[in-house]
Amino acid sequence: MTHPTASPTSERTAAAIRRQFIDFFVERGHREVPSAPVFPKDDPTLLFTNAGMNQFKDVFLGSGSRDYVRAVDTQKCIRVSGKHNDLEEVGVDTYHHTFFEMLGNWSFGDYFKEDAILWAWELFTKVWGLDKDRLWVTVFAGDAEDGLDADEEAERIWLEKTDIDPTHVLRFGKKDNFWEMGETGPCGPCCEIHIDRGGEGAPDVGADPALGVNAGNERFIELWNLVFMQYQRMDDRSLGKLPACHVDTGMGFERIVSVLQGKSSNYDTDVFRPIFDAIEGASGKRYGDDERTDIAFRVVADHVRAVSAAFADGALPSNAGRGYVLRRLLRRASRYVRQDLGIEDPFLHRIVPAVSATLGEASGEIREREEHIRVLVRAEEEAFGKTLGRGLVHFGELAGAVEAAGNKVIPGTEAFDLYATFGFPRDLVDLMARERGLKVDEEGWERARARHQEASRSEGAFRQILSADETEGLPATRTTFHEEGEGSVRLQSRVLLWAEREGEEGRDVLVLEATPFYAESGGQVGDKGRISSADGSFEFRVHDTQKAGGVIVHIGSSQGRVEVGAEVLAEVDEALRAATRRHHTATHLLHRALREVLGDHVTQQGSYVGPDRLRFDLSHPRGITQEELEEIERRVNAAVIRDAAVRTTVEDLEAAKERGVMALFGEKYGDRVRVVDVGGWSTELCGGTHVGAAGEIGPFLIQSETAIQAGVRRIEAVAGELAVAEMQRLRRNLTGVARALKSSAGEVLSRVEDLQKRLKAARKAEEKTSAAGVDAAFDAARGALTEEDGVLVGALDVPLDGKGLRELASRLKGFAPDLAVVLVGTAGDKVPWIGLCQGAALEKGLDARQVPAFVRGHIGGGGGGKSELSQGQGVRSEGRAALLEALAAEPLSAFRG
């Protein structure tokens, strides 16, 4: 095969480079596969997709399969937490990113080291024309602790079958050249290809090349990692062999583009330049004029790319898990915008269109959901903006006090207040501290965090259903829930794995060779039921069903014991399954009705489909009116009444999309997909369980419509018997209200409106009376206060409630600058009070914080406040007279400790 001579050039676009890579491997028998969503929905060990291999993890473990053995793709990745965490470097250097594309080629038990190495060399040196003398290769040097020898096979291929300079092939240890996904899972030795970009940035490598390669500098950078998946890291840290050997390669797209375009920085390429143009146009700043501004540009561009990709795939900002990570990114970028670009108004949302333009070709969902992304980003900016300014001032005061004291450590408890009060993520606090040469007291922060009950759930909250040891050798489970007849809910099968979870009641696991149980997926909950042996010696109550790759895991409670290989009967709870099927098909009809009534911009943001209800989250910029809800509900019920057949077919993905079948954002589909068609009105890709005809759904009733996020609404509904029960409940309530109002059901609304008018009039009259009471009390107070040593003092008995007391206190504060006054009111059997102290009274040592203890001795209750003002409420009204008598005898005694 011949190749056109190529060399690094600024004329080669990023889009062309991406296409060249994919086409190179397609020509060599690889299947081009789409990127998986940027957050994995079926892997509880990961917050985000952080490597190209994530979507193939089940293949490596032997628990899943594909209908191809060679693949090539460009995978959207985010690395912000856990082992592969690039966040702290982002913006500071010119080559780290939280969001990036990973170009990769894959072999599943097909070719291995030789083809992977020779093709990589061919692409680099012949197709792209990289200078061979600038390329360096590292191979695994072995590891005594793991009992692994050096990868001499890979080393020999490089030395004998390529024309690389032999002195450029180096050995490195496990840290650099043994790739592992995490604490457990697939792993293996790897070969990394590095390039010497020249220029300053590394010591002379003539004497020791290791000083340059893998030395953490900007001159020698890794371009491509060829991982040879041979092993699986077990729970006890030992290594086991995988069922087959695989190839997993990953090349950072942004890095190779910078090399091929002859740029010294990833951020100087056409991947980022359009985004920088947008930042320059919106901010009036220029990239390249100032280092602090440049860092802000890089942070903004990277972080907006990351959240745009995640929001397009269906993620939402929140205070837990991946949602909190995305919120952290937006807040980190917002801080740079405020401090280094000098912009206080929402800004990041204005950069989304430029991100959409640069990523839209490879990730069409970003372009399609651009407005939705902008709404989410702006809402987050506005929310954080309310506290950002005050938080920055608070940090400045805190850091200034530390510096004034000659210290370098910010107390952890006070630093944590930036998180708890102002919403500053920990990494943002650390970053601001480093910028001033300070650091945060780690132990103090952790103590404060432990006390903080609303701390965000961390990545550690995710756990694997099965351990690495348990998954080894397990084949993919055959499922029968889609079959016709009894096999869809009842099946004889054989046990492949049974494990009791000590100390975790109801969390035992059972894996069968085949199962009728549906595992949680696509919003539908996992089936419940029972699995039992014929002789009654073993029964497993299934509380939940989940996926671990291609393995279906039944989770529940065990009675008795069972051996691997034993025959058992698996029985799904048919009543629960039937209710779930009704809700699932109803969800499809609801989706269709929403798009017809509200518009084609509506997309599913998430869902819950269970036997008890359905929940549908949708993208929509405003609240749904009552009239719209009724029309949506009417259309769904009309489809139910038509009783159209529900047909399920298996089709090619692209063919299904071309004929208009609805595919959901953020879902990963195979080449062959199930299409659920309800009478030609609703057609969606779906692997869940459904009714046989729409009429089986029964009546459909929307229970609520609420906002859960800017631009995201939530509808909850029920169908079938549950809808009937809900309508009967609502009718009982209406009848009860009518009876209470002494009206008919049809007159309830007008009667309530009349009562509201009367209540409003009564409140206005009460406010007038209250205002008059405050006026009278103020006039009385001015005459009752006496002067002692330059301070007006007094204890006032006023017929006002707590609100009236606060209004009176506010007016007294403006009446005289020097006051020490206790106000005692009345509110039924409670005694509200306020202690007011200001001006010369404070200078003389009087303190309103002492008043609560004095008052409590007479009327109980509680209260608190500051030196200038304290307030509270007593609960023993019988002590009110004695309190007033004590205050009258010595008014200032309440203000002294």
Side-chain angles (χ1 to χ4, degrees):
M1 186 176 292
T2 60
H3 306 283
T5 302
S7 59
T9 171
S10 60
E11 297 176 0
R12 182 182 280 147
T13 67
I17 292 167
R18 184 191 292 115
R19 192 70 253 166
Q20 281 180 321
F21 177 87
I22 292 173
D23 288 346
F24 178 87
F25 285 101
V26 168
E27 291 170 3
R28 287 154 182 78
H30 292 64
R31 174 82 63 85
E32 180 181 353
V33 298
S35 171
V38 80
F39 59 96
K41 295 189 175 182
D42 57 356
D43 188 344
T45 68
L46 289 172
L47 281 178
F48 293 101
T49 300
N50 59 13
M53 64 82 63
N54 292 161
Q55 67 168 305
F56 303 118
K57 188 174 176 181
D58 62 319
V59 180
F60 296 142
L61 291 170
S63 61
S65 63
R66 304 291 187 275
D67 62 354
Y68 49 84
V69 293
R70 298 181 180 186
V72 60
D73 75 348
T74 176
Q75 173 64 52
K76 301 173 294 186
C77 297
I78 291 180
R79 289 183 181 175
V80 286
S81 57
K83 179 178 179 181
H84 301 289
N85 180 2
D86 293 339
L87 181 58
E88 290 189 4
E89 289 78 21
V90 172
V92 179
D93 63 28
T94 61
Y95 54 91
H96 274 98
H97 310 283
T98 57
F99 173 82
F100 58 95
E101 288 183 63
M102 183 73 80
L103 303 173
N105 59 289
W106 317 86
S107 167
F108 308 124
D110 186 31
Y111 65 83
F112 202 44
K113 295 181 182 180
E114 182 168 330
D115 284 334
I117 290 171
L118 297 184
W119 284 336
W121 191 246
E122 180 182 1
L123 179 62
F124 267 3
T125 62
K126 294 182 179 180
V127 178
W128 285 341
L130 294 178
D131 185 351
K132 300 170 187 175
D133 292 335
R134 294 170 55 205
L135 296 176
W136 295 71
V137 168
T138 63
V139 298
F140 181 49
D143 184 78
E145 181 181 359
D146 279 330
L148 297 175
D149 296 328
D151 191 354
E152 295 180 353
E153 178 187 2
E155 185 179 55
R156 185 169 56 253
I157 294 169
W158 283 108
L159 295 175
E160 296 179 2
K161 298 198 175 186
T162 75
D163 55 353
I164 191 173
D165 181 341
T167 65
H168 285 201
V169 179
L170 311 174
R171 289 187 178 189
F172 281 87
K174 183 166 66 174
K175 176 178 178 293
D176 296 300
N177 278 81
F178 193 86
W179 199 91
E180 302 192 55
M181 182 67 244
E183 292 300 314
T184 61
C187 55
C190 62
C191 293
E192 295 179 342
I193 306 176
H194 300 249
I195 190 166
D196 180 356
R197 305 178 75 165
E200 301 299 324
D204 180 9
V205 301
D208 184 359
L211 291 175
V213 177
N214 281 333
N217 58 77
E218 296 189 26
R219 174 175 165 180
F220 286 83
I221 63 168
E222 174 200 334
L223 291 181
W224 203 348
N225 191 6
L226 315 179
V227 181
F228 307 118
M229 292 287 192
Q230 300 172 245
Y231 306 104
Q232 180 177 353
R233 181 71 69 178
M234 300 300 189
D235 295 333
D236 62 1
R237 303 298 297 155
S238 65
L239 290 176
K241 290 209 169 183
L242 287 173
C245 292
H246 311 288
V247 172
D248 158 19
T249 84
M251 182 194 313
F253 174 64
E254 293 78 7
R255 286 192 186 181
I256 192 62
V257 170
S258 71
V259 170
L260 294 177
Q261 291 185 354
K263 305 295 185 181
S264 60
S265 163
N266 296 358
Y267 292 94
D268 292 335
T269 68
D270 64 338
V271 173
F272 287 94
R273 190 63 250 182
I275 303 175
F276 283 1
D277 289 344
I279 298 173
E280 288 179 350
S283 69
K285 306 281 187 179
R286 286 184 57 82
Y287 185 70
D289 288 350
D290 174 76
E291 179 59 23
R292 286 186 64 87
T293 299
D294 289 354
I295 291 174
F297 268 65
R298 293 192 289 265
V299 168
V300 168
D302 174 89
H303 290 6
V304 176
R305 274 166 41 101
V307 299
S308 295
F311 291 164
D313 277 343
L316 293 172
S318 68
N319 283 326
R322 63 175 60 98
Y324 182 58
V325 172
L326 298 173
R327 179 164 283 168
R328 284 168 53 201
L329 292 181
L330 286 171
R331 291 181 173 184
R332 186 172 188 260
S334 295
R335 201 277 303 196
Y336 276 101
V337 168
R338 174 74 68 97
Q339 287 197 317
D340 297 324
L341 298 184
I343 300 171
E344 296 191 4
D345 294 331
F347 176 84
L348 301 176
H349 69 100
R350 299 167 64 184
I351 310 305
V352 172
V355 170
S356 172
T358 58
L359 289 177
E361 181 177 339
S363 302
E365 64 278 359
I366 296 177
R367 184 175 292 161
E368 292 177 43
R369 310 201 72 192
E370 179 183 315
E371 185 56 33
H372 170 70
I373 297 167
R374 290 189 67 178
V375 168
L376 290 178
V377 172
R378 176 160 192 151
E380 283 296 301
E381 288 188 272
E382 290 174 342
F384 187 44
K386 294 175 181 178
T387 60
L388 176 58
R390 290 186 289 114
L392 291 174
V393 170
H394 182 76
F395 174 80
E397 295 172 348
L398 181 59
V402 171
E403 292 166 340
N407 296 327
K408 292 290 184 181
V409 179
I410 299 176
T413 301
E414 296 179 40
F416 186 79
D417 189 50
L418 288 163
Y419 166 82
T421 303
F422 302 103
F424 282 32
R426 169 63 192 271
D427 47 13
L428 180 54
V429 178
D430 286 337
L431 175 63
M432 294 191 299
R434 285 198 304 273
E435 289 175 345
R436 296 184 62 150
L438 306 173
K439 64 179 182 179
V440 175
D441 166 31
E442 179 72 26
E443 292 184 3
W445 176 286
E446 287 303 314
R447 285 194 299 270
R449 185 191 62 80
R451 292 192 298 266
H452 189 64
Q453 296 302 307
E454 301 299 326
S456 171
R457 186 177 66 182
S458 70
E459 185 175 4
F462 292 86
R463 64 176 180 179
Q464 290 178 272
I465 301 169
L466 299 178
S467 68
D469 293 348
E470 289 169 339
T471 58
E472 185 180 17
L474 281 179
T477 308
R478 182 172 67 86
T479 58
T480 63
F481 50 79
H482 281 310
E483 295 181 1
E484 298 290 336
E486 187 180 40
S488 65
V489 292
R490 195 167 185 269
L491 184 72
Q492 290 283 345
S493 190
R494 191 167 61 89
V495 174
L496 299 185
L497 171 73
W498 172 62
E500 293 182 284
R501 300 290 195 233
E502 292 186 13
E504 298 182 69
E505 186 175 352
R507 297 294 301 178
D508 296 350
V509 295
L510 182 65
V511 176
L512 305 179
E513 188 175 59
T515 182
F517 283 76
Y518 179 86
E520 181 179 343
S521 181
Q524 180 176 331
V525 300
D527 278 330
K528 297 182 179 181
R530 66 192 290 266
I531 299 170
S532 58
S533 60
D535 62 4
S537 62
F538 175 74
E539 180 176 275
F540 190 92
R541 288 287 177 179
V542 181
H543 307 317
D544 191 14
T545 309
Q546 295 286 331
K547 285 182 180 178
V551 176
I552 305 301
V553 184
H554 309 86
I555 303 170
S557 305
S558 306
Q559 290 185 356
R561 302 187 62 81
V562 70
E563 299 296 327
V564 171
E567 292 287 332
V568 291
L569 177 63
E571 299 173 286
V572 174
D573 186 315
E574 294 187 57
L576 295 179
R577 166 75 73 80
T580 301
R581 291 169 62 197
R582 285 193 289 270
H583 284 141
H584 202 155
T585 308
T587 300
H588 284 216
L589 300 181
L590 172 62
H591 193 181
R592 172 69 179 189
L594 285 164
R595 289 173 66 85
E596 284 189 350
V597 175
L598 303 180
D600 289 341
H601 65 278
V602 168
T603 55
Q604 180 175 322
Q605 282 296 122
S607 68
Y608 166 87
V609 177
D612 56 330
R613 71 189 190 285
L614 71 87
R615 185 190 72 224
F616 191 90
D617 298 340
L618 63 138
S619 56
H620 190 57
R622 58 173 175 78
I624 304 174
T625 67
Q626 183 63 34
E627 291 76 16
E628 288 170 333
L629 285 172
E630 289 176 1
E631 179 60 20
I632 291 163
E633 193 175 67
R634 187 196 68 76
R635 294 191 185 207
V636 173
N637 280 301
V640 171
I641 293 169
R642 289 195 297 269
D643 194 24
V646 178
R647 296 175 55 250
T648 302
T649 56
V650 178
E651 305 177 21
D652 289 332
L653 174 62
E654 293 307 316
K657 286 183 177 179
E658 286 176 8
R659 72 179 183 87
V661 176
M662 176 68 65
L664 303 182
F665 288 107
E667 289 291 339
K668 175 66 177 174
Y669 298 104
D671 292 329
R672 299 283 289 172
V673 292
R674 298 184 70 85
V675 177
V676 177
D677 184 329
V678 186
W681 186 61
S682 166
T683 55
E684 287 193 25
L685 302 181
C686 183
T689 59
H690 291 271
V691 297
E696 296 176 28
I697 295 172
F700 171 83
L701 181 69
I702 294 176
Q703 293 179 294
S704 65
E705 186 274 338
T706 57
I708 62 167
Q709 193 91 43
V712 182
R713 312 297 298 184
R714 169 170 291 172
I715 287 178
E716 293 191 286
V718 286
E721 295 175 355
L722 291 173
V724 173
E726 177 67 0
M727 286 186 282
Q728 291 174 336
R729 184 186 68 83
L730 293 173
R731 185 170 60 192
R732 285 195 301 271
N733 288 346
L734 179 59
T735 302
V737 171
R739 187 181 300 114
L741 293 175
K742 295 182 173 58
S743 71
S744 67
E747 296 174 335
V748 164
L749 183 59
S750 60
R751 289 280 289 127
V752 169
E753 289 174 345
D754 180 59
L755 288 173
Q756 286 178 324
K757 289 178 182 178
R758 294 185 187 183
L759 180 60
K760 186 176 181 180
R763 283 175 174 168
K764 284 186 177 180
E766 182 182 357
E767 288 173 0
K768 288 182 180 179
T769 302
S770 177
V774 172
D775 288 341
F778 179 64
D779 290 339
R782 285 187 301 180
L785 297 178
T786 60
E787 181 178 338
E788 289 189 21
D789 197 15
V791 177
L792 286 179
V793 302
L796 307 177
D797 178 4
V798 289
L800 299 175
D801 60 11
K803 180 181 177 182
L805 282 187
R806 287 189 290 274
E807 293 178 11
L808 176 59
S810 178
R811 295 179 66 173
L812 286 174
K813 287 173 69 175
F815 169 64
D818 308 305
L819 287 172
V821 180
V822 178
L823 307 176
V824 181
T826 181
D829 59 350
K830 303 293 192 298
V831 185
W833 58 266
I834 288 180
L836 182 62
C837 184
Q838 63 184 32
L842 291 172
E843 295 172 5
K844 296 178 183 298
L846 301 180
D847 192 335
R849 290 177 299 181
Q850 304 299 326
V851 176
F854 182 91
V855 171
R856 192 161 48 243
H858 295 276
I859 58 175
K866 298 181 179 181
S867 298
E868 299 85 356
L869 187 144
S870 60
Q871 58 186 316
Q873 182 166 265
V875 295
R876 297 199 305 268
S877 58
E878 65 273 15
R880 190 172 185 277
L883 169 63
L884 290 168
E885 185 178 342
L887 288 170
E890 180 53 61
L892 296 183
S893 60
F895 295 91
R896 298 190 177 105

